[in-house]
């Protein structure tokens, strides 16, 4: 027989673990680079850009459009990398708390 009270307790436990894991996401960082390392962007688990590093060779008026494209590319790469880390952290936080229900992947709730 299905234990609804036991399941509700597990849901509350999972909610607490998710909230705790979310608070730690700000400490995760990921870096993306483009232009063979000429542009590097660092982001955190709150999906905020922390740092942009530009090689001085790109700081010319002639390279303005290319520089813009490289910053966008590096930022997108960093965001994809942090999303992977966020999903992994959230999956780890809820592992073993909730039963393995097909189609219910809590790690994907935060991407």
């Amino acid at each position: 027989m299905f234990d609804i009270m036991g399941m509700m307790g597990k849901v509350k436990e999972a909610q607490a673990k998710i909230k705790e894991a979310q608070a730690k996401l700000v400490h995760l960082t990921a870096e993306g680079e483009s232009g063979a390392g000429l542009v590097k962007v660092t982001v955190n688990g709150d999906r905020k850009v922390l740092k942009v590093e530009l090689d001085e060779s790109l700081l010319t008026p002639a390279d303005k459009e290319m520089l813009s494209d490289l910053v966008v590319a590096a930022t997108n790469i960093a965001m994809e990398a942090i999303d992977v880390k966020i999903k992994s952290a959230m999956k780890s936080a809820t592992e073993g708390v909730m039963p393995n229900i097909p189609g219910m992947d809590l790690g994907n709730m935060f991407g």
Side-chain angles (χ1 to χ4, degrees):
M1 177 147 216
F2 186 70
D3 179 12
I4 191 72
M5 294 308 287
M7 183 66 174
M8 293 304 291
K10 291 284 188 186
V11 168
K12 287 184 187 257
E13 184 180 346
Q15 287 174 330
K17 286 190 179 256
I18 288 169
K19 195 171 204 164
E20 179 182 328
Q22 284 175 320
K24 293 178 181 177
L25 292 179
V26 71
H27 302 292
L28 290 177
T29 61
E31 185 177 279
E33 62 178 59
S34 62
L38 294 175
V39 174
K40 295 179 184 175
V41 174
T42 304
V43 298
N44 70 9
D46 277 343
R47 295 180 178 94
K48 305 269 191 245
V49 175
L50 300 177
K51 181 169 57 171
V52 176
E53 297 176 63
L54 308 172
D55 188 276
E56 287 185 27
S57 67
L58 295 171
L59 303 178
T60 64
D63 290 331
K64 182 179 177 184
E65 188 173 329
M66 180 180 63
L67 176 58
S68 177
D69 291 343
L70 291 174
V71 170
V72 168
T75 302
N76 287 335
I77 291 166
M79 289 297 186
E80 289 173 9
I82 200 66
D83 282 344
V84 170
K85 288 184 176 186
I86 289 169
K87 286 178 185 178
S88 177
M90 296 309 294
K91 186 173 184 174
S92 293
T94 58
E95 201 166 48
V97 176
M98 295 295 289
N100 187 10
I101 300 171
M104 186 175 172
D105 183 0
L106 295 176
N108 281 328
M109 290 174 54
F110 304 96

